[in-house]
Amino acid sequence: MLKEPNGFKNHALQSGLTLVEVVVAMAILGFSILAIATVQRTAINVNSRAFDLAEASNIAQSVLEDLLAKDYNHDDLNEDENPHNLAEGVAPPGYDEMPQGYRVEWCVNEDIAGTNSLDHAKMVVLKVSYTGLGDDQYVKFTGVKPWL
């Protein structure tokens, strides 16, 4: 390093960063990467939950539509056999196989009188359960099968 005639160092001739500046920059970079990783993990969890919910809703809609299309006196719509389950190995309508981790059950209630126009109708409450990110979740759909 060159010295000025007055004995002081000439800082204008120096180039580069001090160790403190490098350490501070590395700390800021490290915290930024940690924050981005946390946001990324949260986004992955949210997307996974959304996929599971959409899949459960699609299964529920498919099974409920199938049930409501059946004859009024079909065994699957018999109140005496509550709760009904989709048998293991049986795929919901529109599926090649039951997606892993999903369970389908439904109950039929023939006693929904008091709704004037629905004196002869059955209410079907269908529940699709699944385990999403370690905790049990479910969706419920309700449909009415009129007696025609």
Side-chain angles (χ1 to χ4, degrees), residues 3-148:
K3 289 190 174 186
E4 294 289 325
N6 60 9
F8 294 104
K9 296 177 184 173
N10 185 353
H11 292 287
L13 298 176
Q14 290 180 339
S15 63
L17 302 171
T18 66
L19 182 59
V20 172
E21 291 171 326
V22 171
V23 168
V24 168
M26 293 298 287
I28 291 171
L29 179 63
F31 285 122
S32 299
I33 290 173
L34 183 62
I36 289 170
T38 301
V39 168
Q40 185 69 19
R41 188 183 74 202
T42 301
I44 289 169
N45 287 344
V46 167
N47 284 337
S48 178
R49 284 185 185 269
F51 175 83
D52 291 342
L53 178 62
E55 188 73 16
S57 296
N58 288 337
I59 292 169
Q61 181 178 356
S62 175
V63 173
L64 186 60
E65 286 177 359
D66 185 60
L67 288 170
L68 296 178
K70 292 182 178 187
D71 185 63
Y72 187 82
N73 294 317
H74 192 278
D75 288 342
D76 287 343
L77 297 173
N78 185 346
E79 183 177 33
D80 296 333
E81 296 180 23
N82 283 336
H84 299 267
N85 294 299
L86 199 58
E88 188 152 342
V90 175
Y95 286 80
D96 293 332
E97 61 183 20
M98 174 65 84
Q100 187 173 359
Y102 293 86
R103 297 165 307 282
V104 179
E105 67 179 33
W106 65 92
C107 290
V108 178
N109 184 357
E110 294 183 39
D111 187 22
I112 59 173
T115 55
N116 294 341
S117 62
L118 297 176
D119 286 340
H120 296 292
K122 296 179 181 181
M123 182 181 303
V124 179
V125 179
L126 184 125
K127 177 180 172 182
V128 177
S129 307
Y130 60 97
T131 302
L133 295 175
D135 53 345
D136 290 336
Q137 303 286 326
Y138 66 90
V139 295
K140 271 188 176 179
F141 280 45
T142 303
V144 175
K145 174 67 177 175
W147 180 72
L148 298 177

